[in-house]
Amino acid sequence: MKLVFATHNQNKFKEIESLLPSHIELLSLNDIGCEEDIEETGDTIDENAIIKAEYVRNHYGYDCFADDTGLEVDSLAGAPGVYSARYAGEKKDDNANVEKLLSQMEKKEDRTARFKTVIALNLKRNENLFTGVCEGTILKDRRGENGFGYDPVFLPKGYEKSFAEMDLNEKSKISHRARAFRELIEYLSR
């Protein structure tokens, strides 16, 4: 089965590709010739995932799935949330996003947060949503060199390592994206 993952983010692509069963051939947007940046105009993480999956289906005709992820920080009323990738501006600069988050968290006692991923699967105009959540806290300083985005400042609940201190295999066992993806795989296996 061929399935398009509607992303240009190679870090996300590798993370998901490592979880796939062998009977599914994963294609990226680059593989299907989609070079445009699909606008995420939704007000929620769910809406953004649906928008991207529908775009690929409508413009390229492939069975596909798209995800959207947000970091929700309790003491920031759920921010950055749906704006996680563009928190510090339209450039989608991971470093600037983390700096802004750390600055806004500087005097906060409550550092609880969660990563939430929603995957929209679009198969022959039939859509399904799969959600994964990973609870944790925001660290006061960056730790680790792996991963991307907010990984250096996110400490998953029950762990001593930030996501950026974990290798891909370790992170893939507990991450929000892996949890949502396991739901997707279970669905596709039925």
Side-chain angles (χ1 to χ4, degrees):
M1 168 186 212
K2 285 187 180 183
L3 194 57
V4 173
F5 181 14
T7 187
H8 288 292
N9 184 322
Q10 288 305 302
N11 291 309
K12 271 194 209 181
F13 187 85
K14 286 178 190 172
E15 191 174 318
I16 294 302
E17 190 176 40
S18 72
L19 300 171
L20 270 177
S22 60
H23 71 278
I24 297 176
E25 179 185 350
L26 190 64
L27 303 172
S28 70
L29 290 177
N30 295 337
D31 293 331
I32 64 169
C34 177
E35 296 179 16
E36 54 266 39
D37 189 17
I38 302 167
E39 286 191 48
E40 298 175 3
T41 56
D43 292 326
T44 66
I45 293 168
D46 300 39
E47 288 175 9
N48 281 342
I50 291 167
I51 288 167
K52 290 185 279 187
E54 285 179 350
Y55 184 92
V56 171
R57 167 56 82 181
N58 292 338
H59 289 83
Y60 293 90
Y62 284 95
D63 287 342
C64 66
F65 67 92
D67 80 324
D68 197 36
T69 296
L71 176 67
E72 300 171 340
V73 180
D74 290 345
S75 64
L76 299 178
V82 71
Y83 304 106
S84 293
R86 295 174 179 84
Y87 196 44
E90 288 301 313
K91 289 184 181 179
K92 296 184 183 179
D93 182 324
D94 287 350
N95 189 49
N97 290 337
V98 169
E99 285 305 314
K100 180 176 180 178
L101 177 65
L102 289 176
S103 172
Q104 291 190 331
M105 294 294 296
E106 201 169 329
K107 294 182 181 0
K108 304 285 186 189
E109 292 292 322
D110 180 5
R111 302 186 77 81
T112 57
R114 73 211 39 80
F115 269 119
K116 177 183 176 185
T117 292
V118 175
I119 296 174
L121 174 66
N122 192 315
L123 299 175
K124 298 173 185 66
R125 307 254 182 234
N126 179 18
E127 282 186 343
N128 291 283
L129 296 179
F130 307 91
T131 302
V133 174
C134 184
E135 298 287 341
T137 56
I138 302 300
L139 297 165
K140 293 185 178 193
D141 298 297
R142 296 169 189 256
R143 291 188 357 205
E145 301 296 322
N146 298 326
F148 59 99
Y150 298 95
D151 287 357
V153 295
F154 185 79
L155 182 69
K157 187 175 183 177
Y159 290 82
E160 299 295 320
K161 293 180 184 179
S162 74
F163 270 166
E165 292 174 300
M166 296 178 179
D167 64 32
L168 185 58
N169 186 42
E170 220 176 343
K171 180 183 173 188
S172 292
K173 290 179 182 171
I174 63 165
S175 80
H176 47 291
R177 190 169 290 108
R179 290 174 183 187
F181 196 71
R182 277 193 289 276
E183 284 187 24
L184 170 67
I185 292 300
E186 186 179 315
Y187 177 83
L188 291 173
S189 298
R190 283 188 228 139

